[in-house]
Amino acid sequence: MSWLWSVRTPGHIAKSEHVRCRLVNRRTWTLLTSVVLVVAFGLLGAFARVPFVALGPGPTYDTLGLDGDHPVIGVEGHETYPTAGHLNMTTVSVTDQLSLFGALGLWVSGRYALAPRDVYFPPNKSEQQIEQENTEAFNDSQTTAETAALRFLGYPHKVLVGQIVKGSPADGTLEPGDRLLNANGKPVTDAASLKAALAGTKPGDRVEIRYQRADQPEQVASVQLGRNDQPGGDQSQGFLGVGATERPDVPFEIKISLADVGGPSAGLMFTLAIIDKLTPGELNGGKFVAGTGEIDPAGNVGPIGGIPFKMIKAKEAGATTFLVPAENCAEAKSQAPDGLQLARVANLVDATKAMEALRVNQAPAAC
């Protein structure tokens, strides 16, 4: 029998221990470096802000219901009629100040989309300015909804001076809110009629503008027209420098109360709610209807953004029909939640026809 012996000399032992220590040190540093990198990545992902916002389903509000203790739409000085069901306006939530992990988490959920932050928060504007612009757009949508609804119902309206171009012939003569009655010898009955009254004039021509300021007697101003040097302006035609707006001329008041909402896309649903309250019967047949869309004084419905998120929230809230601006139909049709009926609306006539179909349990014109 033979035995295999391993004999280590003292020098050999010392050399092995040195190698072992060097390996241990290397492993320790590798481990420490890995831990530091993991911690740094974790802190970066948890706290570092990314230049994106998350768009998702926002709150939905019944325009026939209450905002706190007050009706969303109130009418003072005129008879109103009972309503039923829902006419819900919808919104999109914008989540800002996202961390890397937060952004990824929202995106993976499938309910949110990421968009560049600069699109919603331009670097040349403060957050206060952006919030003010959104609030003004929302307030304008309320005013326009009132005008569109009462015009649709046949109430009279008036034409007022809106924005005045600084330094224009109208600046210093007319004021925002003045009621325009006649221009260049022609009656001003709507915004288009003011433009038509000045057609054929040229810079330097003098025209008379008949107007009324508040409750004062009617006044006449002689104005020398200037030249329109604004981008895209017609420099060959006389320029007054007035933006005309239309308002209802009625002896009652409509108040729309809804806090912490911005943007113009609630116009259509506000308009339908006003019509519902001012006319007998239930406009929607007692159904749960939601929708979105800008509206102009003539009742034309314009496209909006974020419709997939609005449809999601509407369906979750219980809506069975969703009113879609005609120009958003392709997008809406491809992403509509199951069980949500889409109704295509290009104008207020389309919207009321959709309501009429629902009242008799028929399908409205679809996307």
Side-chain angles (χ1 to χ4, degrees), residues 134-258:
N134 287 332
T135 300
E136 289 175 355
F138 186 67
N139 292 337
D140 288 344
S141 76
Q142 298 176 23
T143 303
T144 305
E146 179 183 347
T147 301
L150 296 184
R151 185 170 182 170
F152 180 81
L153 294 175
Y155 287 93
H157 60 276
K158 54 190 175 183
V159 183
L160 304 179
V161 174
Q163 189 175 26
I164 297 177
V165 177
K166 187 175 182 180
S168 68
D171 190 17
T173 299
L174 299 175
E175 295 181 0
D178 288 348
R179 181 173 184 176
L180 294 171
L181 303 170
N182 192 288
N184 198 26
K186 300 174 183 178
V188 177
T189 56
D190 55 26
S193 66
L194 175 62
K195 183 177 180 180
L198 298 178
T201 62
K202 59 184 184 297
D205 287 352
R206 187 166 289 276
V207 299
E208 289 189 346
I209 305 294
R210 183 179 295 275
Y211 66 98
Q212 184 178 19
R213 181 167 298 163
D215 294 328
Q216 300 176 17
E218 295 181 10
Q219 303 179 57
V220 176
S222 178
V223 180
Q224 185 175 9
L225 300 177
R227 186 179 65 180
N228 188 356
D229 291 325
Q230 294 183 310
D234 184 357
Q235 296 186 352
S236 64
Q237 180 176 305
F239 180 61
L240 180 61
V242 166
T245 61
E246 299 177 25
R247 295 288 185 270
D249 189 14
V250 294
F252 57 90
E253 185 177 4
I254 296 174
K255 291 184 177 181
I256 300 179
S257 303
L258 200 57

